[in-house]
Amino acid sequence: MYPHRAVGSASLLVLGSALSLMPSNANAQTALPAVTVDAPRGATARPAARKPAVRAAARNQARPPSANPAPAASLTAGITPSVARALLYQAPNGQTETTIDRSQFDNRPAFSIADVLRESPGISVKQGNGPRDVGISIRGSNARNGFGIRNLVIFDDGFPVTQPDGLSRSDLIDPKAYGAIDVIRGPSSALYGNYATGGALNFRTRPGGTIDGAEYGVDGGSFGYLNNYLAYGKKVGNFEGSLFASDARGDGFIQNSWFNTQTVNFLGTLHATPDDRFTVKFINNNLDARLPIRLSLNQYYQNPFQAGCDMAGVAGCASVNLLNNGFNGTRTPITAVQAGLGRDDRRTIVGGRWEHDFDNTTTWRNQFVFDDRNINQPTGATSAIGDFPSYNYMSDVTKRGEILGMESTTYFGAFYNTLTASSDNRNVMPGGNAKLGLLASNTFSDTSNYGVRAREELKLTPNLTAIAGIGWETTHLKGINTSYTYGTPNVPIATPGVPIVADRQFQNTAPELALLYKLNSEWLFRARVATGYGTPQVGNLFVLSNGQNGNNTQLKTQQNLGYDLGFDWTPNNTLKFSATGFYEFFKNELVTQATQVGAPNASYTFNAPRSEHRGVELAADWKFLPGWRFTAAYTYLDEVYTEYTENIINGATFSFNRAGNKIPGISPHELTARLGYEQMWGPLAGLGAFVEVQWKDSFYMDNANLLKAPGYELVNLNVHYNTDLVSDYFKSLSMYVEVRNVFDRTYVASANNIANSVTTAGAPSLANVLANTTGSIYAGSPRAFFAGMKLAFK
């Protein structure tokens, strides 16, 4: 949840060294707003009353403070409660931010967030373990992680969808539900707490008043893809609500990748009194999907889409060795099709928020979220089974006023969240349909985070704004991992191993400081120094480098200190160009690499003592002629180990100095560029088209920098049509056709980091050996055709 703004005459100057969780009122807004229905997101201009609205498409980084209405002699003079509430939902100054507007993805398939987030610089995506499961990286934050989303924090209308253990999954996100997406880039733990070493995302649904009726849409296309979706929203009296539901299914373009998933997303706000607002959030996602096995690089070159892999032994087909009886003895290599590997998951989130205005200057918020992740994931030699319920509570007070005549906003909040679970790993055995054998291991986990945040924003001069804040947090990890062995052949009697116990407590403090300088109406300069931290999760503490269960409880918190320097140039209303350079210093960076297929655990996590991340982010939005628009998002990343010795065991232990090596999984260059045209008048008004280019450079897959995943360039073409309808029942009609990957390039959509190996004599394995390491690669989609329509009802 995001902090608010209120209007007031007195403030408290907080801690002078950093920033925390709190939006400001300047148009130099650069972080995630806490969105409720009271904060409409569909507009592109800011009214005089300064009600928040969706920022224009790809409006990056901070906006000029001078764009705000000039303050009155007293900042509280004439402020009404409605205006004070509006101020609460503007995003904070000082962050490096992009807002992706719905207009950038409304007239295209937008099946998953991978189709949308590329519009922001600093973002990289890779295919995860499921149709909508996408690994999202901000400045390379998640590129070193094997599954899910880590090292950034995700919100949905200000409600957290990152669980207390730091894991986020994008299965529950259907882009069709959202009006805008805010991307916060860089270390942000002062603002968002644990795990925000890379930044944060906020997905904002459309309020009911913006929809004002019902919408039905359908998308269909290659590989059996079909998505039916419905949106309904209204504002009636003191209540505003919106409901989105979708049903998506498809056969997949890789063998054994069919899917069937349903999503529901509801947001409603009741203005119970002039001073009290109650907001309810509900999200539910059901996923039933089959899952292919990740390939080695050589297998990818031989058979990228795993065609004909009904039986093991076919060239280019990956397999997993399963215990014939499900608990001990001999193993048989089985393909994903034979085993029936997949996922059967449910995610349910229920949240409530109460906001109370003490007066026109002070607002108090309380928010509670229940988040339940229920999984059944036979994705390899074992199946992860468990229920992960979590609880998240926060409370904060915001006050706005003056300090020595300078406009000021002050925020203070506290939070607590916890997740307790018991999960099993059961052996998968031959027989199809993910037939389960006996118990391989059990993990009890308890993760709790609690802390406080404070923030002060001060407008030193009409052109200079300073922001300082700080966050303090304690994280407590408790876990017990018990492995089970079956010593007598074909006798299903388990012998539990000695339990591995973890009881770790971490305390972290994250300061942040930012300056914004508005030179004139065209130029805004930004400077920021910020910190982030991320603790390991309980499951990381019990996995060894070979993928077996064991003691890895020495893992430490990763920390980063980042410096951002950038500018926004807006010479007129047709051009905006933004540039940001950053340099981040990591200590004990948590890096994940894949283990061999067939191991009980798919990935292993370790600390790299020192590393450095640096890069450049560029964004352009240019409407150079009526109807024409060019947009581009480019990211350059250079991320290296500066202190890290890797120990590899093959009989003896052999050590290798990786200092100076590139961190694997990081593509140095990524670009998304689009040229489009919209016919704005005449009989063809509403007809539009665009061509889009996506480029991702090659990158290393291993710590020794011996093996690279190939880069790619893709071209997409889209033609669409929108028209208003003259009818008593219908409002508008939208249609599109799109060709993805026009030139039918075969490319790597996902490559997990792989482990280096050595001979018994200690000689490192060369690239030709590493290229046979399985458990890494999924290919991207070949050429695909899509078409869709959406009908809006009154």
Side-chain angles (χ1 to χ4, degrees), residues 210-242:
T210 299
I211 301 172
D212 193 27
E215 296 176 355
Y216 166 73
V218 58
D219 300 327
S222 300
F223 316 112
Y225 173 62
L226 181 66
N227 183 19
N228 287 277
Y229 60 94
L230 173 71
Y232 180 81
K234 281 288 186 180
K235 184 174 184 179
V236 180
N238 293 331
F239 177 78
E240 185 171 19
S242 62

PDB file of all heavy atoms in Angstrom, residues 210-242:
ATOM      1  N   THR A 210     -15.104   5.134 -14.972  1.00  0.00           N
ATOM      2  CA  THR A 210     -14.438   5.192 -16.270  1.00  0.00           C
ATOM      3  C   THR A 210     -15.037   4.177 -17.239  1.00  0.00           C
ATOM      4  O   THR A 210     -15.242   4.475 -18.421  1.00  0.00           O
ATOM      5  CB  THR A 210     -12.931   4.927 -16.105  1.00  0.00           C
ATOM      6  OG1 THR A 210     -12.376   5.930 -15.253  1.00  0.00           O
ATOM      7  CG2 THR A 210     -12.219   4.958 -17.439  1.00  0.00           C
ATOM      8  N   ILE A 211     -15.328   2.972 -16.754  1.00  0.00           N
ATOM      9  CA  ILE A 211     -15.958   1.958 -17.608  1.00  0.00           C
ATOM     10  C   ILE A 211     -17.399   2.350 -17.922  1.00  0.00           C
ATOM     11  O   ILE A 211     -17.828   2.311 -19.076  1.00  0.00           O
ATOM     12  CB  ILE A 211     -15.911   0.586 -16.917  1.00  0.00           C
ATOM     13  CG1 ILE A 211     -14.464   0.190 -16.618  1.00  0.00           C
ATOM     14  CG2 ILE A 211     -16.596  -0.476 -17.765  1.00  0.00           C
ATOM     15  CD1 ILE A 211     -14.313  -1.049 -15.768  1.00  0.00           C
ATOM     16  N   ASP A 212     -18.154   2.737 -16.868  1.00  0.00           N
ATOM     17  CA  ASP A 212     -19.525   3.246 -16.995  1.00  0.00           C
ATOM     18  C   ASP A 212     -20.385   2.370 -17.901  1.00  0.00           C
ATOM     19  O   ASP A 212     -20.941   2.798 -18.895  1.00  0.00           O
ATOM     20  CB  ASP A 212     -19.506   4.682 -17.525  1.00  0.00           C
ATOM     21  CG  ASP A 212     -20.869   5.356 -17.361  1.00  0.00           C
ATOM     22  OD1 ASP A 212     -21.622   4.963 -16.442  1.00  0.00           O
ATOM     23  OD2 ASP A 212     -21.186   6.262 -18.153  1.00  0.00           O
ATOM     24  N   GLY A 213     -20.482   1.119 -17.527  1.00  0.00           N
ATOM     25  CA  GLY A 213     -21.270   0.175 -18.304  1.00  0.00           C
ATOM     26  C   GLY A 213     -20.592  -1.173 -18.322  1.00  0.00           C
ATOM     27  O   GLY A 213     -19.916  -1.559 -17.366  1.00  0.00           O
ATOM     28  N   ALA A 214     -20.763  -1.884 -19.418  1.00  0.00           N
ATOM     29  CA  ALA A 214     -20.180  -3.216 -19.546  1.00  0.00           C
ATOM     30  C   ALA A 214     -19.376  -3.302 -20.834  1.00  0.00           C
ATOM     31  O   ALA A 214     -19.661  -2.606 -21.812  1.00  0.00           O
ATOM     32  CB  ALA A 214     -21.263  -4.287 -19.522  1.00  0.00           C
ATOM     33  N   GLU A 215     -18.357  -4.166 -20.801  1.00  0.00           N
ATOM     34  CA  GLU A 215     -17.555  -4.445 -21.985  1.00  0.00           C
ATOM     35  C   GLU A 215     -17.371  -5.956 -22.096  1.00  0.00           C
ATOM     36  O   GLU A 215     -17.102  -6.631 -21.101  1.00  0.00           O
ATOM     37  CB  GLU A 215     -16.173  -3.780 -21.893  1.00  0.00           C
ATOM     38  CG  GLU A 215     -16.200  -2.276 -21.860  1.00  0.00           C
ATOM     39  CD  GLU A 215     -14.824  -1.670 -21.659  1.00  0.00           C
ATOM     40  OE1 GLU A 215     -13.855  -2.439 -21.441  1.00  0.00           O
ATOM     41  OE2 GLU A 215     -14.717  -0.436 -21.708  1.00  0.00           O
ATOM     42  N   TYR A 216     -17.543  -6.443 -23.324  1.00  0.00           N
ATOM     43  CA  TYR A 216     -17.240  -7.848 -23.581  1.00  0.00           C
ATOM     44  C   TYR A 216     -16.220  -7.913 -24.711  1.00  0.00           C
ATOM     45  O   TYR A 216     -16.365  -7.227 -25.731  1.00  0.00           O
ATOM     46  CB  TYR A 216     -18.476  -8.646 -23.988  1.00  0.00           C
ATOM     47  CG  TYR A 216     -18.118  -9.998 -24.569  1.00  0.00           C
ATOM     48  CD1 TYR A 216     -17.655 -11.019 -23.746  1.00  0.00           C
ATOM     49  CD2 TYR A 216     -18.191 -10.224 -25.940  1.00  0.00           C
ATOM     50  CE1 TYR A 216     -17.289 -12.240 -24.273  1.00  0.00           C
ATOM     51  CE2 TYR A 216     -17.828 -11.456 -26.473  1.00  0.00           C
ATOM     52  CZ  TYR A 216     -17.377 -12.453 -25.641  1.00  0.00           C
ATOM     53  OH  TYR A 216     -16.998 -13.660 -26.166  1.00  0.00           O
ATOM     54  N   GLY A 217     -15.190  -8.732 -24.524  1.00  0.00           N
ATOM     55  CA  GLY A 217     -14.174  -8.863 -25.549  1.00  0.00           C
ATOM     56  C   GLY A 217     -13.760 -10.299 -25.732  1.00  0.00           C
ATOM     57  O   GLY A 217     -13.914 -11.142 -24.833  1.00  0.00           O
ATOM     58  N   VAL A 218     -13.208 -10.590 -26.900  1.00  0.00           N
ATOM     59  CA  VAL A 218     -12.698 -11.921 -27.189  1.00  0.00           C
ATOM     60  C   VAL A 218     -11.447 -11.783 -28.052  1.00  0.00           C
ATOM     61  O   VAL A 218     -11.412 -10.974 -28.982  1.00  0.00           O
ATOM     62  CB  VAL A 218     -13.763 -12.801 -27.881  1.00  0.00           C
ATOM     63  CG1 VAL A 218     -14.254 -12.173 -29.187  1.00  0.00           C
ATOM     64  CG2 VAL A 218     -13.228 -14.209 -28.117  1.00  0.00           C
ATOM     65  N   ASP A 219     -10.406 -12.528 -27.692  1.00  0.00           N
ATOM     66  CA  ASP A 219      -9.181 -12.622 -28.482  1.00  0.00           C
ATOM     67  C   ASP A 219      -8.985 -14.079 -28.877  1.00  0.00           C
ATOM     68  O   ASP A 219      -9.237 -14.994 -28.079  1.00  0.00           O
ATOM     69  CB  ASP A 219      -7.951 -12.189 -27.676  1.00  0.00           C
ATOM     70  CG  ASP A 219      -8.031 -10.752 -27.190  1.00  0.00           C
ATOM     71  OD1 ASP A 219      -8.611  -9.933 -27.907  1.00  0.00           O
ATOM     72  OD2 ASP A 219      -7.516 -10.469 -26.092  1.00  0.00           O
ATOM     73  N   GLY A 220      -8.517 -14.289 -30.088  1.00  0.00           N
ATOM     74  CA  GLY A 220      -8.221 -15.637 -30.534  1.00  0.00           C
ATOM     75  C   GLY A 220      -7.060 -15.634 -31.498  1.00  0.00           C
ATOM     76  O   GLY A 220      -6.726 -14.599 -32.087  1.00  0.00           O
ATOM     77  N   GLY A 221      -6.419 -16.809 -31.631  1.00  0.00           N
ATOM     78  CA  GLY A 221      -5.296 -16.835 -32.550  1.00  0.00           C
ATOM     79  C   GLY A 221      -4.608 -18.174 -32.612  1.00  0.00           C
ATOM     80  O   GLY A 221      -5.194 -19.220 -32.297  1.00  0.00           O
ATOM     81  N   SER A 222      -3.369 -18.132 -33.033  1.00  0.00           N
ATOM     82  CA  SER A 222      -2.584 -19.341 -33.274  1.00  0.00           C
ATOM     83  C   SER A 222      -2.453 -20.183 -32.014  1.00  0.00           C
ATOM     84  O   SER A 222      -2.588 -19.694 -30.892  1.00  0.00           O
ATOM     85  CB  SER A 222      -1.191 -18.953 -33.778  1.00  0.00           C
ATOM     86  OG  SER A 222      -1.264 -18.226 -34.990  1.00  0.00           O
ATOM     87  N   PHE A 223      -2.208 -21.480 -32.246  1.00  0.00           N
ATOM     88  CA  PHE A 223      -1.951 -22.454 -31.178  1.00  0.00           C
ATOM     89  C   PHE A 223      -3.135 -22.578 -30.225  1.00  0.00           C
ATOM     90  O   PHE A 223      -2.973 -22.789 -29.019  1.00  0.00           O
ATOM     91  CB  PHE A 223      -0.669 -22.104 -30.419  1.00  0.00           C
ATOM     92  CG  PHE A 223       0.475 -21.724 -31.315  1.00  0.00           C
ATOM     93  CD1 PHE A 223       0.972 -20.431 -31.337  1.00  0.00           C
ATOM     94  CD2 PHE A 223       1.027 -22.660 -32.179  1.00  0.00           C
ATOM     95  CE1 PHE A 223       2.004 -20.071 -32.176  1.00  0.00           C
ATOM     96  CE2 PHE A 223       2.061 -22.307 -33.034  1.00  0.00           C
ATOM     97  CZ  PHE A 223       2.553 -21.023 -33.029  1.00  0.00           C
ATOM     98  N   GLY A 224      -4.346 -22.437 -30.785  1.00  0.00           N
ATOM     99  CA  GLY A 224      -5.564 -22.667 -30.017  1.00  0.00           C
ATOM    100  C   GLY A 224      -5.876 -21.619 -28.978  1.00  0.00           C
ATOM    101  O   GLY A 224      -6.689 -21.852 -28.070  1.00  0.00           O
ATOM    102  N   TYR A 225      -5.269 -20.430 -29.099  1.00  0.00           N
ATOM    103  CA  TYR A 225      -5.466 -19.403 -28.069  1.00  0.00           C
ATOM    104  C   TYR A 225      -6.856 -18.792 -28.146  1.00  0.00           C
ATOM    105  O   TYR A 225      -7.335 -18.408 -29.223  1.00  0.00           O
ATOM    106  CB  TYR A 225      -4.417 -18.300 -28.231  1.00  0.00           C
ATOM    107  CG  TYR A 225      -4.645 -17.114 -27.324  1.00  0.00           C
ATOM    108  CD1 TYR A 225      -4.608 -17.266 -25.942  1.00  0.00           C
ATOM    109  CD2 TYR A 225      -4.917 -15.852 -27.844  1.00  0.00           C
ATOM    110  CE1 TYR A 225      -4.833 -16.189 -25.099  1.00  0.00           C
ATOM    111  CE2 TYR A 225      -5.134 -14.769 -27.008  1.00  0.00           C
ATOM    112  CZ  TYR A 225      -5.088 -14.938 -25.643  1.00  0.00           C
ATOM    113  OH  TYR A 225      -5.305 -13.872 -24.809  1.00  0.00           O
ATOM    114  N   LEU A 226      -7.534 -18.675 -27.006  1.00  0.00           N
ATOM    115  CA  LEU A 226      -8.848 -18.038 -26.910  1.00  0.00           C
ATOM    116  C   LEU A 226      -8.972 -17.392 -25.535  1.00  0.00           C
ATOM    117  O   LEU A 226      -8.755 -18.048 -24.510  1.00  0.00           O
ATOM    118  CB  LEU A 226      -9.969 -19.063 -27.103  1.00  0.00           C
ATOM    119  CG  LEU A 226     -11.399 -18.513 -27.037  1.00  0.00           C
ATOM    120  CD1 LEU A 226     -11.674 -17.573 -28.218  1.00  0.00           C
ATOM    121  CD2 LEU A 226     -12.410 -19.650 -27.014  1.00  0.00           C
ATOM    122  N   ASN A 227      -9.310 -16.117 -25.507  1.00  0.00           N
ATOM    123  CA  ASN A 227      -9.500 -15.392 -24.249  1.00  0.00           C
ATOM    124  C   ASN A 227     -10.819 -14.626 -24.323  1.00  0.00           C
ATOM    125  O   ASN A 227     -10.981 -13.718 -25.143  1.00  0.00           O
ATOM    126  CB  ASN A 227      -8.343 -14.421 -24.018  1.00  0.00           C
ATOM    127  CG  ASN A 227      -8.459 -13.701 -22.670  1.00  0.00           C
ATOM    128  OD1 ASN A 227      -9.165 -14.155 -21.778  1.00  0.00           O
ATOM    129  ND2 ASN A 227      -7.759 -12.591 -22.521  1.00  0.00           N
ATOM    130  N   ASN A 228     -11.778 -14.998 -23.498  1.00  0.00           N
ATOM    131  CA  ASN A 228     -13.027 -14.260 -23.338  1.00  0.00           C
ATOM    132  C   ASN A 228     -12.944 -13.450 -22.058  1.00  0.00           C
ATOM    133  O   ASN A 228     -12.575 -13.984 -20.998  1.00  0.00           O
ATOM    134  CB  ASN A 228     -14.217 -15.222 -23.246  1.00  0.00           C
ATOM    135  CG  ASN A 228     -14.560 -15.860 -24.577  1.00  0.00           C
ATOM    136  OD1 ASN A 228     -15.256 -15.277 -25.395  1.00  0.00           O
ATOM    137  ND2 ASN A 228     -14.049 -17.078 -24.796  1.00  0.00           N
ATOM    138  N   TYR A 229     -13.295 -12.164 -22.146  1.00  0.00           N
ATOM    139  CA  TYR A 229     -13.197 -11.335 -20.946  1.00  0.00           C
ATOM    140  C   TYR A 229     -14.365 -10.366 -20.868  1.00  0.00           C
ATOM    141  O   TYR A 229     -14.985  -9.992 -21.881  1.00  0.00           O
ATOM    142  CB  TYR A 229     -11.864 -10.590 -20.904  1.00  0.00           C
ATOM    143  CG  TYR A 229     -11.598  -9.664 -22.062  1.00  0.00           C
ATOM    144  CD1 TYR A 229     -11.917  -8.307 -22.003  1.00  0.00           C
ATOM    145  CD2 TYR A 229     -11.027 -10.140 -23.232  1.00  0.00           C
ATOM    146  CE1 TYR A 229     -11.666  -7.462 -23.066  1.00  0.00           C
ATOM    147  CE2 TYR A 229     -10.765  -9.308 -24.306  1.00  0.00           C
ATOM    148  CZ  TYR A 229     -11.090  -7.972 -24.217  1.00  0.00           C
ATOM    149  OH  TYR A 229     -10.843  -7.139 -25.273  1.00  0.00           O
ATOM    150  N   LEU A 230     -14.665  -9.961 -19.642  1.00  0.00           N
ATOM    151  CA  LEU A 230     -15.803  -9.089 -19.356  1.00  0.00           C
ATOM    152  C   LEU A 230     -15.388  -8.059 -18.314  1.00  0.00           C
ATOM    153  O   LEU A 230     -14.718  -8.397 -17.335  1.00  0.00           O
ATOM    154  CB  LEU A 230     -16.982  -9.910 -18.817  1.00  0.00           C
ATOM    155  CG  LEU A 230     -18.203  -9.136 -18.306  1.00  0.00           C
ATOM    156  CD1 LEU A 230     -18.952  -8.496 -19.480  1.00  0.00           C
ATOM    157  CD2 LEU A 230     -19.133 -10.053 -17.517  1.00  0.00           C
ATOM    158  N   ALA A 231     -15.783  -6.817 -18.543  1.00  0.00           N
ATOM    159  CA  ALA A 231     -15.572  -5.753 -17.551  1.00  0.00           C
ATOM    160  C   ALA A 231     -16.890  -5.036 -17.322  1.00  0.00           C
ATOM    161  O   ALA A 231     -17.640  -4.776 -18.268  1.00  0.00           O
ATOM    162  CB  ALA A 231     -14.514  -4.773 -18.041  1.00  0.00           C
ATOM    163  N   TYR A 232     -17.158  -4.727 -16.056  1.00  0.00           N
ATOM    164  CA  TYR A 232     -18.367  -3.975 -15.716  1.00  0.00           C
ATOM    165  C   TYR A 232     -18.008  -2.970 -14.633  1.00  0.00           C
ATOM    166  O   TYR A 232     -17.310  -3.291 -13.671  1.00  0.00           O
ATOM    167  CB  TYR A 232     -19.475  -4.902 -15.215  1.00  0.00           C
ATOM    168  CG  TYR A 232     -20.740  -4.142 -14.863  1.00  0.00           C
ATOM    169  CD1 TYR A 232     -21.648  -3.750 -15.846  1.00  0.00           C
ATOM    170  CD2 TYR A 232     -21.013  -3.786 -13.548  1.00  0.00           C
ATOM    171  CE1 TYR A 232     -22.788  -3.050 -15.527  1.00  0.00           C
ATOM    172  CE2 TYR A 232     -22.160  -3.076 -13.220  1.00  0.00           C
ATOM    173  CZ  TYR A 232     -23.043  -2.709 -14.218  1.00  0.00           C
ATOM    174  OH  TYR A 232     -24.175  -1.991 -13.906  1.00  0.00           O
ATOM    175  N   GLY A 233     -18.486  -1.753 -14.777  1.00  0.00           N
ATOM    176  CA  GLY A 233     -18.202  -0.741 -13.777  1.00  0.00           C
ATOM    177  C   GLY A 233     -19.239   0.368 -13.773  1.00  0.00           C
ATOM    178  O   GLY A 233     -19.787   0.721 -14.821  1.00  0.00           O
ATOM    179  N   LYS A 234     -19.494   0.916 -12.601  1.00  0.00           N
ATOM    180  CA  LYS A 234     -20.440   2.016 -12.432  1.00  0.00           C
ATOM    181  C   LYS A 234     -20.054   2.833 -11.210  1.00  0.00           C
ATOM    182  O   LYS A 234     -19.405   2.344 -10.286  1.00  0.00           O
ATOM    183  CB  LYS A 234     -21.873   1.496 -12.244  1.00  0.00           C
ATOM    184  CG  LYS A 234     -22.590   1.070 -13.513  1.00  0.00           C
ATOM    185  CD  LYS A 234     -22.980   2.278 -14.365  1.00  0.00           C
ATOM    186  CE  LYS A 234     -23.813   1.863 -15.561  1.00  0.00           C
ATOM    187  NZ  LYS A 234     -24.187   3.034 -16.401  1.00  0.00           N
ATOM    188  N   LYS A 235     -20.480   4.083 -11.231  1.00  0.00           N
ATOM    189  CA  LYS A 235     -20.431   4.932 -10.053  1.00  0.00           C
ATOM    190  C   LYS A 235     -21.851   5.359  -9.752  1.00  0.00           C
ATOM    191  O   LYS A 235     -22.484   6.056 -10.541  1.00  0.00           O
ATOM    192  CB  LYS A 235     -19.544   6.154 -10.284  1.00  0.00           C
ATOM    193  CG  LYS A 235     -19.390   7.013  -9.042  1.00  0.00           C
ATOM    194  CD  LYS A 235     -18.391   8.143  -9.253  1.00  0.00           C
ATOM    195  CE  LYS A 235     -18.200   8.928  -7.945  1.00  0.00           C
ATOM    196  NZ  LYS A 235     -17.220  10.030  -8.106  1.00  0.00           N
ATOM    197  N   VAL A 236     -22.353   4.914  -8.606  1.00  0.00           N
ATOM    198  CA  VAL A 236     -23.732   5.167  -8.215  1.00  0.00           C
ATOM    199  C   VAL A 236     -23.726   5.792  -6.832  1.00  0.00           C
ATOM    200  O   VAL A 236     -23.351   5.134  -5.846  1.00  0.00           O
ATOM    201  CB  VAL A 236     -24.567   3.867  -8.213  1.00  0.00           C
ATOM    202  CG1 VAL A 236     -26.005   4.166  -7.806  1.00  0.00           C
ATOM    203  CG2 VAL A 236     -24.517   3.198  -9.574  1.00  0.00           C
ATOM    204  N   GLY A 237     -24.105   7.052  -6.752  1.00  0.00           N
ATOM    205  CA  GLY A 237     -24.116   7.728  -5.467  1.00  0.00           C
ATOM    206  C   GLY A 237     -22.741   7.759  -4.843  1.00  0.00           C
ATOM    207  O   GLY A 237     -21.770   8.211  -5.453  1.00  0.00           O
ATOM    208  N   ASN A 238     -22.645   7.236  -3.620  1.00  0.00           N
ATOM    209  CA  ASN A 238     -21.389   7.236  -2.883  1.00  0.00           C
ATOM    210  C   ASN A 238     -20.552   5.978  -3.113  1.00  0.00           C
ATOM    211  O   ASN A 238     -19.524   5.791  -2.457  1.00  0.00           O
ATOM    212  CB  ASN A 238     -21.648   7.378  -1.383  1.00  0.00           C
ATOM    213  CG  ASN A 238     -22.212   8.733  -1.033  1.00  0.00           C
ATOM    214  OD1 ASN A 238     -21.939   9.713  -1.722  1.00  0.00           O
ATOM    215  ND2 ASN A 238     -23.014   8.791   0.022  1.00  0.00           N
ATOM    216  N   PHE A 239     -21.000   5.118  -4.032  1.00  0.00           N
ATOM    217  CA  PHE A 239     -20.277   3.873  -4.284  1.00  0.00           C
ATOM    218  C   PHE A 239     -19.787   3.824  -5.725  1.00  0.00           C
ATOM    219  O   PHE A 239     -20.508   4.195  -6.656  1.00  0.00           O
ATOM    220  CB  PHE A 239     -21.155   2.657  -4.014  1.00  0.00           C
ATOM    221  CG  PHE A 239     -20.477   1.348  -4.325  1.00  0.00           C
ATOM    222  CD1 PHE A 239     -19.557   0.809  -3.447  1.00  0.00           C
ATOM    223  CD2 PHE A 239     -20.756   0.670  -5.510  1.00  0.00           C
ATOM    224  CE1 PHE A 239     -18.915  -0.391  -3.736  1.00  0.00           C
ATOM    225  CE2 PHE A 239     -20.123  -0.525  -5.805  1.00  0.00           C
ATOM    226  CZ  PHE A 239     -19.206  -1.060  -4.909  1.00  0.00           C
ATOM    227  N   GLU A 240     -18.554   3.347  -5.894  1.00  0.00           N
ATOM    228  CA  GLU A 240     -18.004   3.116  -7.222  1.00  0.00           C
ATOM    229  C   GLU A 240     -17.302   1.774  -7.221  1.00  0.00           C
ATOM    230  O   GLU A 240     -16.510   1.473  -6.325  1.00  0.00           O
ATOM    231  CB  GLU A 240     -17.017   4.216  -7.610  1.00  0.00           C
ATOM    232  CG  GLU A 240     -16.503   4.087  -9.033  1.00  0.00           C
ATOM    233  CD  GLU A 240     -15.696   5.297  -9.469  1.00  0.00           C
ATOM    234  OE1 GLU A 240     -15.232   6.048  -8.582  1.00  0.00           O
ATOM    235  OE2 GLU A 240     -15.521   5.479 -10.684  1.00  0.00           O
ATOM    236  N   GLY A 241     -17.607   0.958  -8.234  1.00  0.00           N
ATOM    237  CA  GLY A 241     -17.006  -0.365  -8.284  1.00  0.00           C
ATOM    238  C   GLY A 241     -16.753  -0.804  -9.706  1.00  0.00           C
ATOM    239  O   GLY A 241     -17.389  -0.345 -10.654  1.00  0.00           O
ATOM    240  N   SER A 242     -15.787  -1.718  -9.845  1.00  0.00           N
ATOM    241  CA  SER A 242     -15.481  -2.300 -11.151  1.00  0.00           C
ATOM    242  C   SER A 242     -15.158  -3.773 -10.975  1.00  0.00           C
ATOM    243  O   SER A 242     -14.541  -4.180  -9.986  1.00  0.00           O
ATOM    244  CB  SER A 242     -14.309  -1.578 -11.818  1.00  0.00           C
ATOM    245  OG  SER A 242     -13.131  -1.710 -11.049  1.00  0.00           O
TER     246      SER A 242
END
